[in-house]
Amino acid sequence: MIRVQSSGLADNLAELTDIERNQIPFATVLALTETAKLIKARLEGEMTTVFDRPTPYTLDSLRLIPATKQKLEARVWIKDEADGAAPATKWLTPEVYGGDRNHKRSEGLLRARGILPDGKFIVPGKGMKLDSYGNIGRGQLQKILSGLGAQGDRLQNSTDSKRSVGNRTRFFVLKRGRQAIGIAERTGTKRSDIQILIAFISKPGYAKTLDFFGIGEREAQVQLPIQFEKAFDRAMATRRR
């Protein structure tokens, strides 16, 4: 989490008048919050550079917590809640800190069904059609999970209907010997008429892709004095006489 604090701003305030000193809390709160806004915008711009086709969800994954007079600190961090999807902290923090990738919900479902071996993770195969952001389409993934009987809600799995039976026979676990290596789709009647949609791989890792803290610190060093001067001028111009 990036914290923009006021500890360095009080050094030059000793000679201010009482009237001026009364405006400091307002100016400080405003300067900290405006600086945090600029840090957030700078990080969002950086995402468009370091990530390949980031989704709108990724670009909207940061939260700004404004400073208050009670807490002279503005904060920028990754959102840790979501509506029906994995919270941004789960998949974005590895891009900040580096290290192992977290489990996806679909991986948990496949592992619970005995399809995905322990210690393995999923990545798109050569036959998988990706969306405009380079990800597996949610609808396509749901079809695959349903066809394999791996949905968390059993009512979402394939049934005896004509369409569901088609999905059940269309998708299958591809093995090399006894080892499951991925999920494939039958595209024709010949044995060779298959394409690999999902491959099973060993645990992937991430390098530190987003210089979250470095960008925040550099932006704060440049912007905080500027924003404080602007905020103080505003406070003095609007103060009660």
Side-chain angles (χ1 to χ4, degrees):
M1 181 180 296
I2 294 172
R3 301 175 187 269
V4 186
Q5 298 174 310
S6 61
S7 57
L9 295 178
D11 298 341
N12 299 319
L13 301 179
E15 299 189 7
L16 293 179
T17 66
D18 289 338
I19 294 177
E20 291 170 325
R21 186 173 289 110
N22 289 333
Q23 307 307 313
I24 294 303
F26 171 80
T28 302
V29 168
L30 184 59
L32 293 171
T33 300
E34 290 300 313
T35 299
K37 287 180 181 179
L38 292 170
I39 291 172
K40 180 174 178 287
R42 177 71 177 80
L43 287 167
E44 290 166 346
E46 184 72 6
M47 288 180 185
T48 64
T49 300
V50 300
F51 296 150
D52 179 23
R53 293 168 289 171
T55 65
Y57 185 56
T58 296
L59 297 177
D60 189 40
S61 61
L62 301 182
R63 175 188 304 285
L64 184 147
I65 303 173
T68 66
K69 289 184 179 180
Q70 292 72 37
K71 189 167 187 178
L72 296 177
E73 173 185 282
R75 290 170 285 169
V76 179
W77 188 230
I78 303 166
K79 294 178 181 177
D80 58 0
E81 76 286 335
D83 184 11
T89 48
K90 187 171 183 180
W91 46 266
L92 191 54
T93 47
E95 303 283 2
V96 173
Y97 293 105
D100 295 333
R101 171 167 76 71
N102 293 313
H103 294 281
K104 297 180 179 180
R105 179 177 179 275
S106 54
E107 290 168 337
L109 293 172
L110 290 169
R111 194 169 285 115
R113 186 70 173 77
I115 295 171
L116 182 65
D118 290 339
K120 296 292 184 178
F121 294 73
I122 66 173
V123 295
K126 291 184 178 180
M128 176 65 76
K129 293 181 180 179
L130 302 178
D131 63 21
S132 59
Y133 302 108
N135 301 318
I136 299 175
R138 185 176 179 85
Q140 177 71 351
L141 183 58
Q142 295 305 315
K143 282 184 181 180
I144 295 171
L145 293 174
S146 176
L148 296 174
Q151 290 280 22
D153 182 351
R154 63 182 182 83
L155 297 178
Q156 295 179 352
N157 288 320
S158 292
T159 65
D160 292 332
S161 70
K162 185 176 181 179
R163 181 179 179 181
S164 288
V165 169
N167 284 339
R168 194 187 307 169
T169 58
R170 178 180 168 192
F171 304 113
F172 66 97
V173 179
L174 187 65
K175 294 185 177 182
R176 182 181 291 124
R178 295 184 178 181
Q179 181 69 33
I181 61 172
I183 298 171
E185 176 187 18
R186 293 182 177 89
T187 59
T189 57
K190 297 179 181 179
R191 187 173 182 179
S192 59
D193 291 340
I194 65 170
Q195 57 183 359
I196 299 177
L197 302 180
I198 294 176
F200 298 162
I201 65 169
S202 298
K203 193 169 189 176
Y206 288 103
K208 293 182 180 180
T209 305
L210 180 62
D211 186 17
F212 188 90
F213 298 104
I215 290 171
E217 182 176 352
R218 291 190 293 272
E219 195 75 5
Q221 287 177 349
V222 171
Q223 290 295 336
L224 189 54
I226 296 172
Q227 297 306 315
F228 182 78
E229 184 175 352
K230 290 181 179 180
F232 188 74
D233 288 344
R234 177 179 169 184
M236 294 300 296
T238 57
R239 65 186 176 88
R240 295 180 179 178
R241 299 181 182 276

